[in-house]
Amino acid sequence: MKKSKKQIAFVIKCIWCLVFMGFHYGKAQKQIHFEDEYNRLKQLAQSDIHSALKQTGQLILNARNSGEQKFVVKGLYLKSFAYLLNGDPESCFENAQESLELAESINYKEGQALAYRMLGTQYAKMEASDLAMQNFEHGLNILKKLRSQESYEVRGLILNSKLIVLGDGKEPQLTKEKLAVSLQVVEEFRHIEDPELRNNQLVSAYTNIGYNYADLKNPDSANVYFQRALSLVKPDNFYLQAAINHDIGYLHMGAKDYQKAIMYFKKALAILPDNNDFVNKKIEILKNLSQTYSENGDQSNFIKYSQELKKLSAVSNKKNFHSLEKSLQEKNKTIEDQNTEVSVYSGLLISLIIIMILLTVFYLYRSKENQKKYEELRKKISIGNTDNKSSNLKDSLQETSASASGKEISPETAVKSGLMVSEKTTERLRLALQDFESGTLFLEKNFTSAKLASLLDISSRTISDFIKAEKNMNFNWYINDLRVRHFIQKLDSESEFRKFKLTYIADYLGYSSLGAFSNSFKQITGIGPSYYMKNRNKELEF
């Protein structure tokens, strides 16, 4: 009987061991599956951004459902990377920050470093170098004592991104510093045990070394590393294939071997998909291709690819090439009129000088007027901050807004004509608007009176009439006034905010474009936001 009990106990233990082993084996297999999927999507992001974003969203969902929080972190990082490639800074920041917060909550150090790498890279793209470097250093410090395969990979990625902050390599000393960092990146990546993963990362490292050697006028060494990169990159990795071919073209361009440069630039363009993906890379290639044709004296192709460059830049809403079109027209006219009389050139030169003089006079006059308006605006803001009757920035700016629009602010005791609401409702709406103005809902894009009315549980017509009577401005003017005041307050209170570009600030404030923001700011204050920001930053720094 005792022997039978021992046998039963032994069998139960064996069963539990098998269950335990099966559980951990299944978990390990699940992790391997997620890791493979993550690595696959990293490659996909460099060939088909939209598919990568869609599939990464599914990876995040599956990881959440399976309790694999590390892969949720990695998935969010990957989404931020895809948005970076596609020129969407707001979405990049949002996903990187969410990735960082989750990584910190589960003490996943490599994940934290990845998030800092992406935040730093996006700041670098926005030319906020100090913020970029701060994030890169945060990431490197976290990894300082780690020696895992993943830590080597992430450390190499951060060092690779630091190259952006180090500039364009125009100075030999700076290029040598970048070359040293690039070689350090290679050493980090060589510690990765997985051959496929190691080779994938070495591609970008070798490319950067080749680019640095090209800047140092060492074409032989540059070509060696470019060829190493090409030998490792996968055929379906469109982004890296195009980037390397572009860099080889850049090498030949520097050596004035224009035919080979053109061949590689065109090859790079042909590799990239024929859609709006990788717009920034296409712009970079087209820019160098048109320049190569110009240096080679091929005006026909120079014009052709310069026009393509202009069209693509318009699609990306990042650059305006009107000045390029004007210079192309002037250059074409110069080429067509090469055999005309000297007097024609003299006349053109005199005309240009006169135009330059007029433009200079106009610029000086406008600068003087802008400075006068700026000082008046700052004076009103200052009075609004100290005067008991107008004790805050809001009142002084509302006065400025009314003045700029040709209106006068009605006293609170004035009769609200056309507004049929009770005194109780009037007081409720006043308090509700005070709460609304102290928040940030007005920063939402396409914020309408209907949405505000819904929040206040009142009709859209009533809230519009109330704002018109109470604030002496229509609803759109009211929202723009709030946004302008918010912009001015952020400049005064947050030093980091002053480092951002106006395009990013306009998007943050809820405007569809920088032009829309500039128009609103100028209507309300009388001057442009760039002028105000430049002068205010100088005052605050002083």
Side-chain angles (χ1 to χ4, degrees):
M1 184 72 177
K2 288 181 180 180
K3 189 175 180 180
S4 177
K5 286 183 178 180
K6 287 181 180 180
Q7 288 175 338
I8 293 171
F10 176 75
V11 171
I12 291 173
K13 285 181 180 180
C14 288
I15 292 171
W16 274 110
C17 284
L18 289 171
V19 170
F20 181 79
M21 289 171 64
F23 171 77
H24 282 278
Y25 176 77
K27 187 174 182 180
Q29 290 299 108
K30 190 184 295 181
Q31 288 178 337
I32 291 171
H33 166 72
F34 278 120
E35 188 69 41
D36 289 343
E37 183 66 1
Y38 168 70
N39 288 329
R40 183 185 71 81
L41 290 174
K42 275 197 297 186
Q43 297 300 309
L44 183 62
Q46 298 181 76
S47 58
D48 187 344
I49 292 174
H50 299 290
S51 295
L53 282 170
K54 183 177 180 180
Q55 293 179 40
T56 301
Q58 189 60 49
L59 170 69
I60 293 170
L61 180 61
N62 292 340
R64 287 190 196 278
N65 293 337
S66 301
E68 296 291 341
Q69 295 289 72
K70 284 188 176 182
F71 288 98
V72 176
V73 171
K74 287 186 172 185
L76 290 167
Y77 159 79
L78 192 53
K79 283 186 72 176
S80 68
F81 173 66
Y83 282 122
L84 174 81
L85 290 179
N86 218 31
D88 186 345
E90 184 176 349
S91 299
C92 176
F93 277 131
E94 181 182 338
N95 283 277
Q97 191 61 43
E98 188 178 349
S99 175
L100 176 60
E101 291 171 2
L102 179 57
E104 288 176 339
S105 70
I106 62 175
N107 196 30
Y108 177 26
K109 294 188 180 299
E110 290 89 347
Q112 294 174 47
L114 277 173
Y116 277 123
R117 183 242 176 173
M118 195 47 54
L119 290 169
T121 305
Q122 183 60 69
Y123 276 125
K125 293 288 186 183
M126 295 165 62
E127 298 181 12
S129 300
D130 291 342
L131 292 172
M133 193 59 78
Q134 287 174 19
N135 281 278
F136 291 147
E137 292 304 325
H138 278 317
L140 290 172
N141 287 334
I142 288 172
L143 299 172
K144 203 168 186 179
K145 296 181 180 179
L146 299 181
R147 294 294 180 268
S148 66
Q149 175 170 298
E150 188 176 16
S151 66
Y152 283 120
E153 179 189 8
V154 178
R155 196 157 33 236
L157 289 171
I158 295 174
L159 289 170
N160 234 355
S161 293
K162 280 182 70 174
L163 295 171
I164 305 172
V165 183
L166 292 176
D168 58 8
K170 295 299 181 186
E171 299 176 9
Q173 189 58 40
L174 183 59
T175 304
K176 289 177 181 178
E177 183 181 346
K178 290 176 68 177
L179 180 59
V181 174
S182 298
L183 291 170
Q184 187 181 349
V185 171
V186 171
E187 289 305 310
E188 295 292 343
F189 287 158
R190 280 178 177 166
H191 284 91
I192 300 174
E193 296 172 2
D194 184 328
E196 184 176 0
L197 180 59
R198 180 176 63 246
N199 289 342
N200 287 340
Q201 298 298 2
L202 283 173
V203 171
S204 59
Y206 286 151
T207 303
N208 285 330
I209 294 174
Y211 200 82
N212 292 330
Y213 273 124
D215 277 335
L216 288 169
K217 308 302 181 187
N218 188 339
D220 292 337
S221 297
N223 196 51
V224 167
Y225 280 96
F226 285 143
Q227 294 306 323
R228 284 186 188 179
L230 274 178
S231 69
L232 294 177
V233 69
K234 292 182 177 180
D236 60 350
N237 191 323
F238 304 138
Y239 182 81
L240 283 180
Q241 284 276 357
I244 297 168
N245 278 282
H246 165 263
D247 290 343
I248 296 174
Y250 176 81
L251 173 65
H252 288 296
M253 179 183 170
K256 300 192 183 303
D257 188 349
Y258 297 123
Q259 293 305 314
K260 283 189 177 180
I262 290 168
M263 180 185 72
Y264 279 104
F265 288 145
K266 285 188 173 181
K267 186 176 180 181
L269 280 177
I271 289 169
L272 293 173
D274 189 20
N275 54 31
N276 289 334
D277 288 351
F278 311 112
V279 172
N280 291 337
K281 179 56 67 177
K282 290 176 183 176
I283 288 173
E284 183 183 4
I285 297 167
L286 283 170
K287 185 177 179 181
N288 282 326
L289 180 57
S290 60
Q291 184 180 339
T292 303
Y293 275 122
S294 177
E295 292 180 11
N296 199 33
D298 187 341
Q299 295 303 314
S300 176
N301 277 309
F302 168 62
I303 294 169
K304 173 185 174 182
Y305 286 102
S306 294
Q307 288 174 344
E308 284 190 26
L309 175 61
K310 180 190 170 187
K311 290 177 183 177
L312 194 60
S313 298
V315 171
S316 68
N317 291 321
K318 287 181 182 268
K319 294 183 180 179
N320 187 335
F321 280 92
H322 291 309
S323 59
L324 176 60
E325 184 181 31
K326 184 178 178 181
S327 67
L328 284 173
Q329 290 172 352
E330 290 177 355
K331 192 164 186 177
N332 291 337
K333 184 173 179 60
T334 302
I335 293 169
E336 292 168 0
D337 296 339
Q338 280 180 349
N339 297 320
T340 57
E341 295 180 4
V342 176
S343 58
V344 176
Y345 290 105
S346 301
L348 287 172
L349 182 60
I350 292 170
S351 298
L352 285 173
I353 291 171
I354 293 171
I355 290 171
M356 290 298 295
I357 292 171
L358 291 173
L359 287 173
T360 302
V361 171
F362 175 75
Y363 172 78
L364 292 173
Y365 170 78
R366 188 165 183 176
S367 295
K368 188 175 180 180
E369 287 295 304
N370 282 339
Q371 185 61 29
K372 183 179 178 182
K373 291 177 182 177
Y374 173 80
E375 289 172 358
E376 289 174 355
L377 175 61
R378 289 306 308 167
K379 185 177 179 181
K380 288 180 180 179
I381 293 172
S382 178
I383 292 172
N385 287 334
T386 57
D387 192 349
N388 291 332
K389 294 180 180 179
S390 181
S391 60
N392 54 51
L393 180 60
K394 178 186 74 173
D395 295 332
S396 61
L397 269 184
Q398 280 183 335
E399 181 183 348
T400 306
S401 301
S403 175
S405 62
K407 302 175 183 178
E408 293 183 358
I409 300 296
S410 301
E412 288 188 1
T413 56
V415 177
K416 310 297 189 285
S417 59
L419 183 65
M420 304 300 292
V421 293
S422 66
E423 283 297 323
K424 185 177 180 181
T425 302
T426 299
E427 187 60 29
R428 180 177 76 83
L429 290 177
R430 281 178 182 162
L431 293 173
L433 283 186
Q434 287 177 12
D435 289 340
F436 173 68
E437 291 169 5
S438 65
T440 58
L441 278 174
F442 53 81
L443 299 180
E444 290 184 9
K445 287 186 177 179
N446 303 317
F447 192 84
T448 62
S449 59
K451 187 164 186 178
L452 180 58
S454 176
L455 291 171
L456 303 183
D457 193 23
I458 201 165
S459 73
S460 179
R461 175 66 181 273
T462 299
I463 193 60
S464 294
D465 288 346
F466 182 80
I467 289 172
K468 188 172 183 180
E470 187 76 12
K471 306 291 183 180
N472 203 20
M473 60 180 79
N474 64 34
F475 179 79
N476 288 336
W477 191 283
Y478 172 62
I479 293 298
N480 287 331
D481 184 70
L482 290 175
R483 289 172 174 176
V484 167
R485 285 190 268 120
H486 186 78
F487 167 67
I488 290 173
Q489 289 170 329
K490 292 278 278 188
L491 278 182
D492 285 354
S493 61
E494 296 184 18
S495 58
E496 287 189 357
F497 189 80
R498 300 174 209 139
K499 299 176 183 178
F500 294 138
K501 288 185 174 182
L502 275 173
T503 48
Y504 176 75
I505 291 174
D507 185 70
Y508 161 78
L509 292 173
Y511 289 98
S512 59
S513 66
L514 175 57
F517 171 44
S518 296
N519 288 338
S520 294
F521 192 91
K522 194 164 186 178
Q523 285 178 340
I524 291 171
T525 67
I527 57 176
S530 60
Y531 186 87
Y532 179 87
M533 188 174 182
K534 180 181 178 181
N535 282 268
R536 189 58 181 150
N537 283 350
K538 284 182 181 178
E539 291 177 352
L540 293 170
E541 286 172 5
F542 180 77

